[in-house]
Amino acid sequence: MSPTATTKVLIIGYVWPEPRSSAAGGHMMQILQCFLDQGWELTFSSPANPGEHKEDLVALGIRECPIELNNASFDRFVAELAPDIVLFDQFMMEEQFGWRVEQHCPNALRVLETSDLQCLRHARHQRLKDHLKHASAEDDFSPLFAQAQQDEFQHMAETDLAKREIAAIYRCDLSLMISEVEIELLVEQFRLPPTLLHWCPLMLERLPEGFAPFEQRAHFLSIGNFRHAPNWDAVLWMKNRVWPLIRQQLPGAQLHLYGAYTPPKAAALHNPAQGFHIMNWAEDALQVMSAARICLAPLRFGAGIKGKLLDAMLCGTPSVTTPIGSESMTVPDLPWPGAVEESATALAAAAVRLYQDQAQWSDAQAAGSQLLAARYRQQVHGPALIQRLQHCRQHLAQERRDNFTGSMLRHHHHKSTQYMAQWIEAKNRP
């Protein structure tokens, strides 16, 4: 390749990016911006229908190309495009299109953007369901939040989802991991080679300057895509346990819950008399976050890192969450910008204290700025990502020889997937 040639990148998205609807969409846009800053030529494709809040990629100089599942038209498309790098957004896209990319662009670097480790999230969800069958009304969920890595592994290793997702990581040349906890779990328990993984958290181009002060803020706020199971579970826990405890101590308190794609079951929870307001989608999430005094994120399960909590720090809004919410978002010796608790009673008590105590609130706001500066700067993580991709491209043959397990999995999986896809395509012909 000529040193002056433009690097061509194909992104195969599970969905079209919606950065104002989910942290995953925001992270994808941050990665795309890193590529654009290099002057790379980007093409974004997805078999999904565009969502209501889809980002205008064309306006950013990114080509948009819809694609179809189980259709040879993708073969012609990818062969003609001849990308240098192919980024699969979530492992299902690697399952569907990985064999086609390998067949027609064998020298393209194959990268997986995991968003979060889905098999971890699903295993934690199942543990919560099992736990709730025997939980009392006062249960504090400490057993769930204190799971050792070995226990996490045992719950995950039995699932088909883990086998599928981790096989996709092996088949790719590099996987982007948003959480250091997940990297440690994959390396220490699943024995994945660290060379297959790259830590790429949420990235901020600029740190915030100046916030609305304590006295100009009011109300509690919770935000998150209602389609995301951890968010919906948090809404129900707030409605049934956490929020009634807060209202007992602050009878006039108001909670505003914002989320994309509000289903009827969420709208039915709207109850102004209880101060529980379902607000639907926020046109500007940072604006409503900046006006709130406290962000509530009582997550009982999940994976990755939480965009809503990063947004809270960006807006100088202290947050009250669980160990799941703060997981892989902290730095040793720096306090959490708010409170991390394990029970409904403790969450409510911490939220009330922060809401009323201006000095404690101001300390939490300052802690958020410190955490952002220490952990989420694009000037650090963007160049590190580009450097890692370039290194992998330069040593691709050796990297693939070293990853024999991935080569073996590609051989067996891609053959079976190819024949199944071709059978479906033939079956669908008129």
Side-chain angles (χ1 to χ4, degrees):
M1 182 182 70
S2 166
T4 59
T6 300
T7 297
K8 291 190 289 187
V9 184
L10 170 64
I11 303 95
I12 303 177
Y14 180 69
V15 295
W16 296 92
E18 295 191 9
R20 293 181 294 169
S21 298
S22 70
H27 193 232
M28 174 57 72
M29 294 307 303
Q30 292 163 6
I31 293 170
L32 297 183
Q33 189 59 55
C34 287
F35 297 167
L36 290 172
D37 291 343
Q38 297 298 309
W40 292 355
E41 180 183 309
L42 307 188
T43 300
F44 197 104
S45 297
S46 177
N49 293 323
E52 183 179 347
H53 310 301
K54 171 187 169 295
E55 183 78 0
D56 185 359
L57 300 178
V58 173
L60 300 174
I62 302 172
R63 178 187 177 198
E64 295 182 359
C65 293
I67 52 178
E68 294 184 44
L69 298 171
N70 304 309
N71 194 308
S73 61
F74 180 84
D75 300 344
R76 297 186 290 272
F77 160 69
V78 76
E80 180 181 340
L81 182 64
D84 302 295
I85 300 172
V86 177
L87 178 69
F88 301 102
D89 173 30
Q90 301 191 33
F91 77 92
M92 294 84 77
M93 293 298 94
E94 189 279 335
E95 286 184 331
Q96 289 287 341
F97 296 99
W99 68 271
R100 296 182 185 273
V101 170
E102 182 169 26
Q103 191 173 76
H104 298 282
C105 306
N107 295 322
L109 183 70
R110 295 185 289 268
V111 182
L112 176 62
E113 155 62 351
T114 60
S115 296
D116 63 12
L117 204 54
Q118 294 187 40
C119 56
L120 175 60
R121 169 161 41 91
H122 282 258
R124 286 173 169 174
H125 193 184
Q126 186 58 51
R127 284 208 318 276
L128 173 63
K129 292 176 182 178
D130 295 341
H131 186 83
L132 288 173
K133 293 177 183 178
H134 310 288
S136 69
E138 300 300 325
D139 193 73
D140 66 358
F141 302 100
S142 296
L144 297 181
F145 297 140
Q147 287 285 315
Q149 269 195 3
Q150 180 64 30
D151 296 328
E152 300 269 29
F153 169 74
Q154 290 177 356
H155 283 93
M156 296 165 66
E158 298 175 356
T159 67
D160 289 344
L161 186 61
K163 293 165 188 172
R164 290 174 57 197
E165 187 168 18
I166 292 171
I169 292 173
Y170 266 113
R171 288 193 297 266
C172 288
D173 301 308
L174 188 68
S175 290
L176 308 184
M177 307 298 301
I178 203 167
S179 164
E180 291 169 305
V181 168
E182 293 173 6
I183 292 176
E184 185 177 351
L185 180 64
L186 290 174
V187 172
E188 297 297 328
Q189 299 300 321
F190 287 92
R191 305 303 184 194
L192 263 80
T195 52
L196 295 180
L197 309 173
H198 178 76
W199 179 47
C200 183
L202 296 171
M203 299 178 280
L204 303 174
E205 288 192 42
R206 293 179 298 275
L207 297 178
E209 297 180 3
F211 303 114
F214 177 88
E215 60 273 10
Q216 292 181 13
R217 294 172 179 249
H219 310 315
F220 295 84
L221 175 140
S222 184
I223 194 165
N225 192 324
F226 285 111
R227 288 178 176 174
H228 193 49
N231 292 338
W232 176 239
D233 176 75
V235 169
L236 293 178
W237 198 27
M238 279 188 284
K239 174 69 173 179
N240 296 324
R241 288 288 297 138
V242 179
W243 185 244
L245 293 171
I246 292 175
R247 285 276 289 192
Q248 286 177 12
Q249 301 172 73
L250 298 174
Q254 304 291 311
L255 172 60
H256 296 167
L257 297 100
Y258 292 88
Y261 303 106
T262 308
K265 64 182 180 180
L269 299 179
H270 182 70
N271 191 328
Q274 296 175 354
F276 200 88
H277 301 267
I278 303 297
M279 308 295 288
N280 299 317
W281 186 66
E283 183 71 31
D284 187 336
L286 297 182
Q287 182 180 45
V288 297
M289 183 71 79
S290 295
R293 188 173 290 180
I294 303 293
C295 171
L296 292 179
L299 295 157
R300 294 191 289 190
F301 73 97
I305 61 177
K306 314 305 179 290
K308 61 176 70 64
L309 296 176
L310 192 75
D311 285 348
M313 295 181 226
L314 271 172
C315 298
T317 306
S319 58
V320 177
T321 188
T322 65
I324 291 291
S326 65
E327 181 177 83
S328 203
M329 296 193 72
T330 59
V331 172
D333 302 324
L334 286 183
W336 181 257
V340 178
E341 303 291 350
E342 298 182 353
S343 69
T345 301
L347 286 162
V352 170
R353 282 196 306 272
L354 274 170
Y355 196 87
Q356 295 180 311
D357 189 328
Q358 183 171 355
Q360 185 181 1
W361 187 93
S362 298
D363 288 344
Q365 185 180 76
S369 295
Q370 291 177 313
L371 195 53
L372 290 178
R375 194 167 180 83
Y376 299 106
R377 289 182 296 162
Q378 190 276 339
Q379 297 94 324
V380 173
H381 299 294
L385 172 60
I386 299 302
Q387 183 179 6
R388 186 69 182 275
L389 294 174
Q390 290 174 336
H391 175 85
C392 288
R393 289 186 65 199
Q394 291 166 4
H395 301 89
L396 187 56
Q398 182 64 48
E399 299 263 349
R400 288 181 176 172
R401 278 195 298 270
D402 291 343
N403 181 22
F404 178 78
T405 300
S407 176
M408 179 175 60
L409 288 170
R410 284 199 307 275
H411 172 79
H412 291 288
H413 172 83
H414 287 349
K415 290 295 184 185
S416 60
T417 304
Q418 174 183 348
Y419 297 144
M420 177 59 74
Q422 290 173 337
W423 179 81
I424 294 172
E425 184 179 357
K427 185 173 179 288
N428 290 338
R429 288 194 191 110

